[in-house]
Amino acid sequence: MNQAPDRVVLRKLVSALRERHYMHTVRFPSLQRPFFMLPFEPNVMLSYTRNKTSPFTPSALPSLYRFRWFAKHPDTALLYRFFFLNQPAPLRHLSKILGNELIGQLVDAGIVQKSDGHARATFRMVPYGDTIFLSDPDQGDARTTIQYVYLGGDSVTLSNFVSTRMLHRSYGRGLDLCAGTAFQGHNIKSHCDSVIAAEFNPRAVDFARAILYANSVPDTFSVIQSDLWQNVTGNFDIIVSNPPYYPVPKNKWNPMIMDVFGGADHGMEKPLTIFDGFGQFLNPSGEGILLAASPIIKGEDVLLSRLKPLAEKHGLETVLVPWKYTNMRLDPEYQVENSIDYLIHYIVHARLTGNGSVISSGYPFLVRTLQKLQLGFQKMLPSWPRR
Ligand SMILES: C[S@@+](CC[C@H](N)C(=O)[O-])C[C@H]1O[C@@H](n2cnc3c(N)ncnc32)[C@H](O)[C@@H]1O
């Protein structure tokens, strides 16, 4: 279980990538969607023309978007395939682009492994906003890395929401809780006097600190290790959190899925503990936002009923914004055994006003209907567990 690589070498890599236009790749949708999702592609195209896509936007035709630009920038294309998609590359080509000296340092630092004239990146370099993040390569549901450091599609979903709905003003102190790479903290940093990122996984803490150093971020942004609120002190004007929020049965928990496991109560324990803490750690009129997933059991939206008493206790005016209806990819057996019809992924946005309430905002009818059809279809497949 390696920690983050040498920070000085990482900083050299980050500036070499910037010089070679790596930040330009931030718009290219790169998450491969199954080909049968092609009818949804016009939506992706529209988002792309509006500059609203990211490397985590799913697309049935990801190469379509980068093809023309990459034809004119073959060096960036190779770097992107190597450091973002984690595909192997000929060592000779890589050395030509980055220089033998830097390649030697990357190998010594464990960022690049070489064998038989080819090289492979052992970490993922993710461009987003004004930062290049270091995370573990995507391992899907088949995790092999202990204390895996996550950065993925829901990180971008939350940060986009925060950017459009909350960053129209400036804040004093900001907190990114369950920070991972401190992705959410970076998103709010230019709107805050100071930011603290708090994270439990010691390896992620190390990554987050290395990212700050490699991107030359001022020391008004710091990282602490904390089990949820344990080591957090003082009050905040904005708190952003993308915590683990999936249910995982006890016998399936392991230290490779710390980013996933939301705790007891069908994975709502950690999101609810964070929401409860908003009452103590937000300044008056302060805003807190987090991701959570609600199990729908016999028609009841369970998260909604758990949040209500907490919102009333603290005076948190709360809006739930749905953004995905899904069956559990991690554990369908658990879903069937616990009579969970499906999960609704929510953005939970609260303001400390003294008027405790929870309302749920609408989800576009067409999207909801299509997603529900997809859920029904999954349940008809022979692979879906039966009681
Ligand atoms: C889904 S990941 C999100 C990471 C990051 N916030 C983002 O948006 O990319 C959840 C993160 O919460 C961390 N985490 C899990 N349990 C925690 C705890 N008890 N206290 C603090 N962080 C925790 C995980 O290690 C992981 O980095």
Side-chain angles (χ1 to χ4, degrees), residues 323-325 363 367-375:
W323 61 278
K324 189 159 59 174
Y325 282 38
Y363 194 37
V367 187
R368 193 179 50 194
T369 310
L370 287 171
Q371 291 190 349
K372 282 197 163 177
L373 281 173
Q374 206 183 335
L375 300 187

Side-chain angles (χ1 to χ4, degrees), residues 110-385:
I111 299 173
V112 167
Q113 275 174 353
K114 44 180 193 172
S115 81
D116 294 337
H118 273 73
R120 186 178 276 282
T122 50
F123 299 96
R124 188 179 216 186
M125 304 301 294
V126 181
Y128 199 78
D130 60 359
T131 308
I132 297 184
F133 294 87
L134 170 84
S135 78
D136 279 315
D138 183 23
Q139 295 177 356
D141 295 342
R143 289 286 169 75
T144 52
T145 303
I146 296 177
Q147 298 183 345
Y148 182 84
V149 179
Y150 172 91
L151 201 173
D154 62 353
S155 316
V156 175
T157 300
L158 181 60
S159 78
N160 280 347
F161 186 93
V162 169
S163 298
T164 45
R165 306 275 184 102
M166 294 166 78
L167 298 186
H168 46 81
R169 52 171 281 218
S170 39
Y171 297 88
R173 294 184 83 214
L175 174 69
D176 175 359
L177 186 55
C178 294
T181 60
F183 189 81
Q184 309 303 334
H186 282 270
N187 187 43
I188 62 171
K189 66 179 185 269
S190 58
H191 294 262
C192 294
D193 294 339
S194 65
V195 176
I196 293 174
E199 163 63 43
F200 180 63
N201 175 355
R203 190 161 169 267
V205 169
D206 201 36
F207 275 46
R209 288 184 179 144
I211 292 164
L212 290 180
Y213 180 82
N215 287 276
S216 308
V217 178
D219 61 10
T220 45
F221 193 156
S222 56
V223 182
I224 60 168
Q225 206 228 347
S226 179
D227 183 357
L228 297 178
W229 297 106
Q230 197 179 45
N231 299 329
V232 175
T233 52
N235 286 75
F236 299 88
D237 303 296
I238 179 169
I239 299 172
V240 184
S241 180
N242 174 11
Y245 52 82
Y246 266 111
V248 178
K250 271 203 180 102
N251 60 339
K252 292 203 177 161
W253 192 90
N254 69 59
M256 293 170 224
I257 54 164
M258 288 166 89
D259 55 310
V260 174
F261 178 50
D265 203 4
H266 301 313
M268 290 181 294
E269 185 190 15
K270 287 178 189 175
L272 288 171
T273 307
I274 293 168
F275 186 80
D276 197 20
F278 285 171
Q280 184 188 335
F281 289 93
L282 279 174
N283 281 322
S285 299
E287 295 188 57
I289 189 156
L290 79 146
L291 294 187
S294 182
I296 307 300
I297 301 179
K298 299 193 175 77
E300 191 200 351
D301 186 324
V302 182
L303 181 71
L304 198 77
S305 58
R306 298 284 194 279
L307 286 173
K308 266 187 183 150
L310 297 175
E312 281 161 13
K313 177 171 97 180
H314 297 299
L316 288 162
E317 220 171 301
T318 306
V319 181
L320 298 189
V321 182
W323 61 278
K324 189 159 59 174
Y325 282 38
T326 180
N327 281 323
M328 261 178 276
R329 281 173 45 227
L330 279 169
D331 203 319
E333 281 91 3
Y334 182 96
Q335 177 169 346
V336 172
E337 273 163 26
N338 290 275
S339 309
I340 298 175
D341 296 333
Y342 54 95
L343 288 178
I344 303 182
H345 286 195
Y346 279 119
I347 295 171
V348 181
H349 184 188
R351 186 175 284 123
L352 191 66
T353 60
N355 300 319
S357 60
V358 182
I359 55 164
S360 181
S361 82
Y363 194 37
F365 177 75
L366 190 62
V367 187
R368 193 179 50 194
T369 310
L370 287 171
Q371 291 190 349
K372 282 197 163 177
L373 281 173
Q374 206 183 335
L375 300 187
F377 177 67
Q378 278 174 345
K379 286 184 183 173
M380 283 176 349
L381 292 175
S383 55
W384 188 259

